[in-house]
mmCIF file of all heavy atoms in Angstrom:
data_model
loop_
_atom_site.group_PDB
_atom_site.id
_atom_site.type_symbol
_atom_site.label_atom_id
_atom_site.label_comp_id
_atom_site.label_asym_id
_atom_site.label_seq_id
_atom_site.Cartn_x
_atom_site.Cartn_y
_atom_site.Cartn_z
ATOM 1 N N LEU A 338 22.547 -1.191 -59.580
ATOM 2 C CA LEU A 338 23.693 -0.365 -59.186
ATOM 3 C C LEU A 338 24.819 -1.235 -58.646
ATOM 4 O O LEU A 338 26.007 -1.007 -58.946
ATOM 5 C CB LEU A 338 23.251 0.650 -58.133
ATOM 6 C CG LEU A 338 24.116 1.906 -57.947
ATOM 7 C CD1 LEU A 338 24.116 2.743 -59.207
ATOM 8 C CD2 LEU A 338 23.604 2.727 -56.771
ATOM 9 N N ALA A 339 24.462 -2.239 -57.855
ATOM 10 C CA ALA A 339 25.472 -3.148 -57.304
ATOM 11 C C ALA A 339 26.147 -3.959 -58.407
ATOM 12 O O ALA A 339 27.350 -4.241 -58.332
ATOM 13 C CB ALA A 339 24.828 -4.078 -56.284
ATOM 14 N N THR A 340 25.393 -4.320 -59.427
ATOM 15 C CA THR A 340 25.971 -5.058 -60.549
ATOM 16 C C THR A 340 26.931 -4.185 -61.345
ATOM 17 O O THR A 340 28.013 -4.636 -61.765
ATOM 18 C CB THR A 340 24.854 -5.574 -61.475
ATOM 19 O OG1 THR A 340 23.996 -6.447 -60.730
ATOM 20 C CG2 THR A 340 25.429 -6.322 -62.664
ATOM 21 N N ALA A 341 26.558 -2.938 -61.551
ATOM 22 C CA ALA A 341 27.411 -2.021 -62.308
ATOM 23 C C ALA A 341 28.659 -1.618 -61.547
ATOM 24 O O ALA A 341 29.695 -1.325 -62.161
ATOM 25 C CB ALA A 341 26.610 -0.776 -62.694
ATOM 26 N N HIS A 342 28.575 -1.642 -60.205
ATOM 27 C CA HIS A 342 29.707 -1.207 -59.379
ATOM 28 C C HIS A 342 29.916 -2.227 -58.259
ATOM 29 O O HIS A 342 29.506 -1.992 -57.108
ATOM 30 C CB HIS A 342 29.444 0.187 -58.806
ATOM 31 C CG HIS A 342 29.123 1.219 -59.846
ATOM 32 N ND1 HIS A 342 30.092 1.866 -60.572
ATOM 33 C CD2 HIS A 342 27.924 1.688 -60.297
ATOM 34 C CE1 HIS A 342 29.518 2.713 -61.420
ATOM 35 N NE2 HIS A 342 28.202 2.619 -61.266
ATOM 36 N N PRO A 343 30.515 -3.355 -58.571
ATOM 37 C CA PRO A 343 30.676 -4.432 -57.581
ATOM 38 C C PRO A 343 31.382 -3.951 -56.313
ATOM 39 O O PRO A 343 32.351 -3.189 -56.364
ATOM 40 C CB PRO A 343 31.534 -5.463 -58.325
ATOM 41 C CG PRO A 343 31.273 -5.195 -59.772
ATOM 42 C CD PRO A 343 31.086 -3.709 -59.879
ATOM 43 N N GLY A 344 30.832 -4.399 -55.189
ATOM 44 C CA GLY A 344 31.445 -4.088 -53.907
ATOM 45 C C GLY A 344 31.003 -2.786 -53.280
ATOM 46 O O GLY A 344 31.403 -2.476 -52.148
ATOM 47 N N THR A 345 30.172 -2.010 -53.983
ATOM 48 C CA THR A 345 29.774 -0.709 -53.441
ATOM 49 C C THR A 345 28.527 -0.784 -52.563
ATOM 50 O O THR A 345 28.318 0.083 -51.713
ATOM 51 C CB THR A 345 29.529 0.299 -54.570
ATOM 52 O OG1 THR A 345 28.518 -0.214 -55.454
ATOM 53 C CG2 THR A 345 30.807 0.544 -55.360
ATOM 54 N N LEU A 346 27.683 -1.786 -52.771
ATOM 55 C CA LEU A 346 26.462 -1.932 -51.977
ATOM 56 C C LEU A 346 26.423 -3.331 -51.378
ATOM 57 O O LEU A 346 26.791 -4.312 -52.030
ATOM 58 C CB LEU A 346 25.219 -1.705 -52.836
ATOM 59 C CG LEU A 346 25.010 -0.300 -53.406
ATOM 60 C CD1 LEU A 346 23.752 -0.263 -54.267
ATOM 61 C CD2 LEU A 346 24.915 0.741 -52.305
ATOM 62 N N ASP A 347 25.945 -3.401 -50.146
ATOM 63 C CA ASP A 347 25.850 -4.670 -49.438
ATOM 64 C C ASP A 347 24.636 -5.455 -49.942
ATOM 65 O O ASP A 347 23.499 -4.992 -49.819
ATOM 66 C CB ASP A 347 25.717 -4.391 -47.935
ATOM 67 C CG ASP A 347 25.590 -5.663 -47.108
ATOM 68 O OD1 ASP A 347 25.741 -6.767 -47.675
ATOM 69 O OD2 ASP A 347 25.338 -5.539 -45.892
ATOM 70 N N PRO A 348 24.843 -6.646 -50.516
ATOM 71 C CA PRO A 348 23.704 -7.434 -51.005
ATOM 72 C C PRO A 348 22.672 -7.729 -49.925
ATOM 73 O O PRO A 348 21.469 -7.767 -50.204
ATOM 74 C CB PRO A 348 24.355 -8.722 -51.514
ATOM 75 C CG PRO A 348 25.771 -8.339 -51.827
ATOM 76 C CD PRO A 348 26.131 -7.297 -50.815
ATOM 77 N N ALA A 349 23.132 -7.920 -48.696
ATOM 78 C CA ALA A 349 22.187 -8.182 -47.608
ATOM 79 C C ALA A 349 21.312 -6.961 -47.332
ATOM 80 O O ALA A 349 20.113 -7.090 -47.036
ATOM 81 C CB ALA A 349 22.943 -8.591 -46.349
ATOM 82 N N ALA A 350 21.898 -5.776 -47.433
ATOM 83 C CA ALA A 350 21.128 -4.547 -47.227
ATOM 84 C C ALA A 350 20.100 -4.373 -48.340
ATOM 85 O O ALA A 350 18.959 -3.951 -48.091
ATOM 86 C CB ALA A 350 22.060 -3.346 -47.169
ATOM 87 N N ILE A 351 20.483 -4.705 -49.559
ATOM 88 C CA ILE A 351 19.543 -4.629 -50.676
ATOM 89 C C ILE A 351 18.379 -5.586 -50.447
ATOM 90 O O ILE A 351 17.210 -5.244 -50.675
ATOM 91 C CB ILE A 351 20.249 -4.945 -52.005
ATOM 92 C CG1 ILE A 351 21.326 -3.892 -52.303
ATOM 93 C CG2 ILE A 351 19.239 -5.020 -53.152
ATOM 94 C CD1 ILE A 351 22.156 -4.192 -53.527
ATOM 95 N N ALA A 352 18.673 -6.779 -49.969
ATOM 96 C CA ALA A 352 17.624 -7.767 -49.707
ATOM 97 C C ALA A 352 16.665 -7.293 -48.624
ATOM 98 O O ALA A 352 15.467 -7.600 -48.654
ATOM 99 C CB ALA A 352 18.255 -9.094 -49.318
ATOM 100 N N ARG A 353 17.182 -6.546 -47.654
ATOM 101 C CA ARG A 353 16.327 -6.041 -46.567
ATOM 102 C C ARG A 353 15.506 -4.828 -46.985
ATOM 103 O O ARG A 353 14.533 -4.471 -46.309
ATOM 104 C CB ARG A 353 17.188 -5.677 -45.359
ATOM 105 C CG ARG A 353 17.845 -6.871 -44.667
ATOM 106 C CD ARG A 353 18.425 -6.461 -43.315
ATOM 107 N NE ARG A 353 19.475 -5.452 -43.441
ATOM 108 C CZ ARG A 353 20.780 -5.706 -43.544
ATOM 109 N NH1 ARG A 353 21.204 -6.976 -43.579
ATOM 110 N NH2 ARG A 353 21.662 -4.733 -43.642
ATOM 111 N N ALA A 354 15.871 -4.173 -48.069
ATOM 112 C CA ALA A 354 15.210 -2.934 -48.498
ATOM 113 C C ALA A 354 13.915 -3.252 -49.239
ATOM 114 O O ALA A 354 13.802 -3.064 -50.449
ATOM 115 C CB ALA A 354 16.152 -2.119 -49.368
ATOM 116 N N GLN A 355 12.918 -3.714 -48.509
ATOM 117 C CA GLN A 355 11.676 -4.186 -49.125
ATOM 118 C C GLN A 355 10.542 -3.166 -49.062
ATOM 119 O O GLN A 355 9.421 -3.453 -49.471
ATOM 120 C CB GLN A 355 11.251 -5.496 -48.466
ATOM 121 C CG GLN A 355 12.263 -6.615 -48.665
ATOM 122 C CD GLN A 355 11.817 -7.927 -48.054
ATOM 123 O OE1 GLN A 355 10.691 -8.063 -47.581
ATOM 124 N NE2 GLN A 355 12.706 -8.907 -48.072
ATOM 125 N N THR A 356 10.831 -1.984 -48.548
ATOM 126 C CA THR A 356 9.875 -0.880 -48.539
ATOM 127 C C THR A 356 10.632 0.388 -48.928
ATOM 128 O O THR A 356 11.867 0.401 -48.979
ATOM 129 C CB THR A 356 9.246 -0.674 -47.151
ATOM 130 O OG1 THR A 356 10.295 -0.309 -46.216
ATOM 131 C CG2 THR A 356 8.565 -1.942 -46.653
ATOM 132 N N ILE A 357 9.896 1.448 -49.206
ATOM 133 C CA ILE A 357 10.553 2.724 -49.507
ATOM 134 C C ILE A 357 11.373 3.170 -48.301
ATOM 135 O O ILE A 357 12.535 3.588 -48.429
ATOM 136 C CB ILE A 357 9.514 3.795 -49.890
ATOM 137 C CG1 ILE A 357 8.776 3.387 -51.169
ATOM 138 C CG2 ILE A 357 10.177 5.148 -50.062
ATOM 139 C CD1 ILE A 357 7.633 4.310 -51.548
ATOM 140 N N TRP A 358 10.752 3.072 -47.120
ATOM 141 C CA TRP A 358 11.468 3.430 -45.894
ATOM 142 C C TRP A 358 12.701 2.546 -45.721
ATOM 143 O O TRP A 358 13.780 3.023 -45.354
ATOM 144 C CB TRP A 358 10.533 3.286 -44.694
ATOM 145 C CG TRP A 358 11.111 3.750 -43.385
ATOM 146 C CD1 TRP A 358 10.979 4.981 -42.811
ATOM 147 C CD2 TRP A 358 11.923 2.981 -42.485
ATOM 148 N NE1 TRP A 358 11.651 5.029 -41.614
ATOM 149 C CE2 TRP A 358 12.247 3.810 -41.384
ATOM 150 C CE3 TRP A 358 12.407 1.675 -42.488
ATOM 151 C CZ2 TRP A 358 13.014 3.380 -40.323
ATOM 152 C CZ3 TRP A 358 13.190 1.250 -41.426
ATOM 153 C CH2 TRP A 358 13.482 2.085 -40.356
ATOM 154 N N GLY A 359 12.549 1.253 -45.999
ATOM 155 C CA GLY A 359 13.661 0.331 -45.863
ATOM 156 C C GLY A 359 14.792 0.642 -46.824
ATOM 157 O O GLY A 359 15.974 0.519 -46.463
ATOM 158 N N PHE A 360 14.473 1.045 -48.046
ATOM 159 C CA PHE A 360 15.499 1.437 -49.009
ATOM 160 C C PHE A 360 16.321 2.599 -48.465
ATOM 161 O O PHE A 360 17.552 2.580 -48.487
ATOM 162 C CB PHE A 360 14.838 1.818 -50.337
ATOM 163 C CG PHE A 360 15.790 2.349 -51.373
ATOM 164 C CD1 PHE A 360 16.488 1.490 -52.199
ATOM 165 C CD2 PHE A 360 15.954 3.715 -51.532
ATOM 166 C CE1 PHE A 360 17.357 1.970 -53.171
ATOM 167 C CE2 PHE A 360 16.827 4.212 -52.496
ATOM 168 C CZ PHE A 360 17.525 3.339 -53.314
ATOM 169 N N ASP A 361 15.622 3.605 -47.961
ATOM 170 C CA ASP A 361 16.335 4.771 -47.421
ATOM 171 C C ASP A 361 17.111 4.411 -46.153
ATOM 172 O O ASP A 361 18.234 4.900 -45.942
ATOM 173 C CB ASP A 361 15.354 5.899 -47.153
ATOM 174 C CG ASP A 361 14.793 6.497 -48.437
ATOM 175 O OD1 ASP A 361 15.526 6.551 -49.436
ATOM 176 O OD2 ASP A 361 13.609 6.902 -48.445
ATOM 177 N N HIS A 362 16.527 3.555 -45.314
ATOM 178 C CA HIS A 362 17.192 3.166 -44.072
ATOM 179 C C HIS A 362 18.442 2.335 -44.327
ATOM 180 O O HIS A 362 19.499 2.575 -43.728
ATOM 181 C CB HIS A 362 16.216 2.388 -43.189
ATOM 182 C CG HIS A 362 16.835 1.832 -41.941
ATOM 183 N ND1 HIS A 362 17.168 2.616 -40.861
ATOM 184 C CD2 HIS A 362 17.187 0.554 -41.615
ATOM 185 C CE1 HIS A 362 17.689 1.869 -39.913
ATOM 186 N NE2 HIS A 362 17.726 0.610 -40.344
ATOM 187 N N GLU A 363 18.328 1.359 -45.203
ATOM 188 C CA GLU A 363 19.426 0.428 -45.424
ATOM 189 C C GLU A 363 20.534 0.998 -46.305
ATOM 190 O O GLU A 363 21.714 0.698 -46.099
ATOM 191 C CB GLU A 363 18.894 -0.861 -46.063
ATOM 192 C CG GLU A 363 17.936 -1.655 -45.185
ATOM 193 C CD GLU A 363 18.645 -2.333 -44.028
ATOM 194 O OE1 GLU A 363 19.892 -2.403 -44.029
ATOM 195 O OE2 GLU A 363 17.938 -2.800 -43.102
ATOM 196 N N LEU A 364 20.158 1.838 -47.265
ATOM 197 C CA LEU A 364 21.130 2.210 -48.289
ATOM 198 C C LEU A 364 21.450 3.696 -48.366
ATOM 199 O O LEU A 364 22.592 4.068 -48.665
ATOM 200 C CB LEU A 364 20.611 1.745 -49.660
ATOM 201 C CG LEU A 364 20.369 0.234 -49.792
ATOM 202 C CD1 LEU A 364 19.631 -0.073 -51.075
ATOM 203 C CD2 LEU A 364 21.685 -0.525 -49.727
ATOM 204 N N VAL A 365 20.469 4.547 -48.110
ATOM 205 C CA VAL A 365 20.662 5.972 -48.370
ATOM 206 C C VAL A 365 21.247 6.721 -47.180
ATOM 207 O O VAL A 365 22.287 7.372 -47.286
ATOM 208 C CB VAL A 365 19.340 6.625 -48.829
ATOM 209 C CG1 VAL A 365 19.521 8.136 -48.981
ATOM 210 C CG2 VAL A 365 18.887 6.015 -50.143
ATOM 211 N N ILE A 366 20.567 6.638 -46.017
ATOM 212 C CA ILE A 366 20.982 7.514 -44.909
ATOM 213 C C ILE A 366 22.368 7.202 -44.357
ATOM 214 O O ILE A 366 23.043 8.123 -43.877
ATOM 215 C CB ILE A 366 19.928 7.539 -43.780
ATOM 216 C CG1 ILE A 366 19.817 6.186 -43.073
ATOM 217 C CG2 ILE A 366 18.586 8.002 -44.298
ATOM 218 C CD1 ILE A 366 19.004 6.253 -41.779
ATOM 219 N N PRO A 367 22.856 5.942 -44.402
ATOM 220 C CA PRO A 367 24.219 5.741 -43.906
ATOM 221 C C PRO A 367 25.255 6.548 -44.677
ATOM 222 O O PRO A 367 26.238 7.037 -44.097
ATOM 223 C CB PRO A 367 24.441 4.233 -44.092
ATOM 224 C CG PRO A 367 23.070 3.640 -44.072
ATOM 225 C CD PRO A 367 22.220 4.662 -44.762
#
Side-chain angles (χ1 to χ4, degrees):
L338 201 64
T340 300
H342 305 278
T345 58
L346 294 178
D347 179 7
I351 296 175
R353 292 192 298 268
Q355 297 182 7
T356 63
I357 297 174
W358 186 94
F360 175 85
D361 291 326
H362 175 74
E363 296 288 347
L364 300 170
V365 175
I366 67 168

